[in-house]
Amino acid sequence: MKQRRLAVLAATAAMPLALVGIASATSPPAVTPVEHVRGADLADDLKVNADGVKFQTKVPTDVSVLTLTIDPGATTGWHTHPGLAIIAVSEGTGTLYSPDCTSETFNAGEAFVEAGDDAPTMFTNESPSPVVLTVSFIAPRDADPVHPEAGPACG
């Protein structure tokens, strides 16, 4: 089940790219996932409040960590996450789009959070160099970490 969830992430990232590949004679830009931790069990009722940071779970929870390498011109596609996704930019510069087509740029050394209650987002690499993201998913047990969503034509 947990292996399927990360396969969904890889497939979600690759779906829009597959269409580009059909129309292009060259290799399409890609999003390449590398899994580090898959579905590690976190305590069902965890409460931590230390040094100004609060963290709490109320249900059985999984933690997964992966690295995404996003080629120039590639995108994650529009998506949401259950629970939380904490995304750190390890290398490069990428752009996060919101459904209203506003965007925010993130550089190496910066991080952002996507939460289950958030509207869909899309991360793109509009630079000439790869972007590397390290993503930590904290989600309800056995939930798919990425849900593909329809989105507007921006980016």
Side-chain angles (χ1 to χ4, degrees):
M1 177 66 78
K2 293 176 185 175
Q3 187 174 22
R4 183 180 66 81
R5 291 188 314 216
L6 290 175
V8 168
L9 171 64
T12 299
M15 276 190 287
L17 304 175
L19 297 175
V20 171
I22 293 169
S24 174
T26 61
S27 295
V31 177
T32 307
V34 175
E35 180 182 298
H36 303 289
V37 176
R38 179 183 7 162
D41 293 337
L42 193 61
D44 294 1
D45 189 17
L46 178 67
K47 290 183 182 181
V48 178
N49 186 352
D51 300 321
V53 176
K54 288 184 179 183
F55 182 81
Q56 180 176 355
T57 62
K58 294 182 179 181
V59 298
T61 304
D62 287 338
V63 175
S64 299
V65 179
L66 61 90
T67 298
L68 293 177
T69 300
I70 304 172
D71 289 345
T75 175
T76 61
W78 291 96
H79 64 278
T80 58
H81 304 282
L84 297 174
I86 303 170
I87 301 106
V89 181
S90 303
E91 297 177 28
T93 299
T95 305
L96 182 69
Y97 284 90
S98 297
D100 63 0
C101 294
T102 58
S103 64
E104 188 172 356
T105 300
F106 291 93
N107 300 299
E110 296 180 321
F112 57 97
V113 174
E114 295 180 353
D117 294 337
D118 292 349
T121 58
M122 176 180 66
F123 193 87
T124 65
N125 181 357
E126 298 168 354
S127 76
S129 303
V131 174
V132 179
L133 304 177
T134 301
V135 184
S136 298
F137 297 104
I138 304 168
R141 177 107 1 105
D142 295 328
D144 291 332
V146 176
H147 298 159
E149 303 282 350
C154 28

